[in-house]
Amino acid sequence: MKKEERYLFPADYMADPSVHVFNGRLYIYPSHDRESGIPENDNGDHFDMNDYHVLSTDDVMHGEIVDHGVALKVADIPWAGRQLWDCDIACKDGKYYLYFPLKDRNDIFRMGVAISDKPEGPFIPQPDPIRGSYSIDAAVFRDDDGSYYMYFGGIWGGQLQRYRDNKAIENPCLPADNEPALPGRVVKLSDNMLEFAEEPRPVIVLGEDGKPLFAGDPHRFFEASWMHKYKGKYYFSYSTGDTHLLCYAVGDNPYGPFTYQGVILTPVVGWTTHHSIAEYKGKWYLFHHDCVPSGGKTWLRSLKVVELEYDEEGKIQTIKGSADE
């Protein structure tokens, strides 16, 4: 039987949902797609987002989705260039910290931080990006001990291939298919939530043989990191990009390594697939997007949600994407 699913906000094109529960209410932090007329290319220039809205609800599958309006826009960010891609948020000591990737005026992606007293914003950006930050797709995870970790990174347009050991290299390149895949990154955040507390570390995904997945493996990391815990285990999930899957791996601590477990979501209509996983009122949900409402325009995406289920061993049951329906 097909799972019940819902398009969350048909009034507008939004994607890349990061989802958290604050004060008993579920908040969605998506990127905001628009038609800017830029041709499609492998660098993702056609994803030319220039602001964020915040959505919220108290009933995931059937309740009203409230649009709280513009929470942050490119024009308000002092160091801004262009392209306000996927964001995430964390709450500490009554303050809300929005983390966002944005190209600076040299067209290099950095991570910025903006602060609010409310989960819906508006958010006031810091004057400069986080020192030592790079690439895209921030996902912030609070562990049980109160530590906060940022997972980030994306290849191709996300520029991760331009870095080795957290330093820019002169000749960016992707590994060969028979070489270990480029890993995402994880870094502990400082107590003030505005800086990295350490050098970012690689997030290694291992295969059944205990070796890192190769670049040619269809299940290797590409972008869209997410972290959640289930029954004491750390579930690192991600998009495989050009193979169009959402996959996950499981580990025993926030840094990994993580052992590959399987596919969460098969391909959707549209090039990208990007998600978050959250528990609300005793049920687990997968939030993601596809391009069915826009007729397959991959830069005009729509938010979706479907219930996520685990088996008795803690494995996530695979969900069919819209391209398979």
Side-chain angles (χ1 to χ4, degrees):
M1 188 174 73
K2 181 175 169 56
K3 282 179 171 288
E4 181 184 8
E5 59 184 19
R6 179 187 187 186
Y7 282 102
L8 284 163
F9 197 67
D12 203 350
Y13 293 115
M14 297 189 186
D16 310 329
S18 295
V19 176
H20 296 271
V21 178
F22 297 124
N23 306 316
R25 190 171 178 86
L26 186 136
Y27 288 84
I28 306 166
Y29 299 83
S31 51
H32 187 195
D33 287 352
R34 65 178 182 137
E35 181 65 82
S36 62
I38 296 175
E40 289 185 70
N41 59 40
D42 285 346
N43 286 325
D45 290 330
H46 48 297
F47 296 108
D48 190 31
M49 299 87 101
N50 65 0
D51 66 19
Y52 296 123
H53 285 231
V54 177
L55 311 176
S56 73
T57 187
D58 60 6
D59 183 343
V60 174
M61 298 306 298
H62 305 289
E64 178 188 7
I65 306 297
V66 176
D67 178 5
H68 296 278
V70 175
L72 179 68
K73 57 183 184 293
V74 168
D76 293 337
I77 300 168
W79 53 275
R82 64 190 181 106
Q83 293 186 291
L84 205 55
W85 283 10
D86 167 64
C87 66
D88 197 13
I89 193 167
C91 178
K92 183 178 181 182
D93 299 331
K95 296 285 187 181
Y96 295 86
Y97 299 85
L98 189 73
Y99 299 90
F100 57 90
L102 176 67
K103 283 181 176 173
D104 64 16
R105 290 171 186 143
N106 295 315
D107 235 25
I108 302 299
F109 270 115
R110 310 289 185 192
M111 291 292 177
V113 192
I115 305 172
S116 178
D117 294 323
K118 300 181 294 183
E120 67 270 25
F123 293 86
I124 306 302
Q126 294 292 289
D128 298 294
I130 297 174
R131 182 173 297 179
S133 66
Y134 56 94
S135 200
I136 61 167
D137 290 355
V140 181
F141 169 74
R142 182 188 184 276
D143 207 353
D144 298 335
D145 65 357
S147 299
Y148 291 81
Y149 299 86
M150 180 189 290
Y151 297 81
F152 68 92
I155 61 176
W156 293 18
Q159 302 181 348
L160 187 60
Q161 69 275 7
R162 297 186 183 187
Y163 300 85
R164 297 292 188 277
D165 300 320
N166 302 313
K167 295 179 175 60
I169 57 176
E170 289 188 12
N171 299 301
C173 61
L174 294 168
D177 284 354
N178 61 352
E179 295 177 337
L182 278 182
R185 303 287 190 267
V186 58
V187 62
K188 192 174 185 178
L189 295 175
S190 62
D191 287 342
N192 67 8
M193 303 295 282
L194 302 178
E195 302 167 302
F196 291 166
E198 60 187 4
E199 288 283 310
R201 309 184 192 189
V203 180
I204 303 299
V205 178
L206 305 174
E208 290 182 354
D209 59 2
K211 297 178 181 179
L213 296 185
F214 286 152
D217 191 307
H219 307 114
R220 58 82 175 97
F221 172 85
F222 188 102
E223 62 186 359
S225 302
W226 188 257
M227 174 60 68
H228 75 281
K229 283 184 83 170
Y230 180 75
K231 293 187 175 179
K233 294 289 187 179
Y234 295 79
Y235 284 64
F236 174 68
S237 51
Y238 55 92
S239 169
T240 64
D242 57 339
T243 60
H244 312 293
L245 302 169
L246 291 179
C247 293
Y248 77 106
V250 173
D252 294 321
N253 66 80
Y255 293 113
F258 301 92
T259 301
Y260 176 77
Q261 299 294 311
V263 173
I264 300 172
L265 182 71
T266 61
V268 300
V269 171
W271 198 94
T272 70
T273 187
H274 195 126
H275 71 301
S276 60
I277 294 170
E279 184 182 18
Y280 188 58
K281 296 184 177 179
K283 291 187 176 182
W284 286 91
Y285 296 95
L286 174 71
F287 298 83
H288 65 105
H289 65 243
D290 70 19
C291 299
V292 172
S294 70
K297 292 181 179 179
T298 198
W299 62 95
L300 296 177
R301 299 162 293 180
S302 294
L303 296 173
K304 294 184 80 173
V305 64
V306 61
E307 189 175 344
L308 181 140
E309 295 179 299
Y310 306 84
D311 69 15
E312 292 180 356
E313 297 178 348
K315 288 189 176 293
I316 295 173
Q317 297 182 8
T318 301
I319 299 166
K320 284 189 175 182
S322 53
D324 293 340
E325 295 172 359

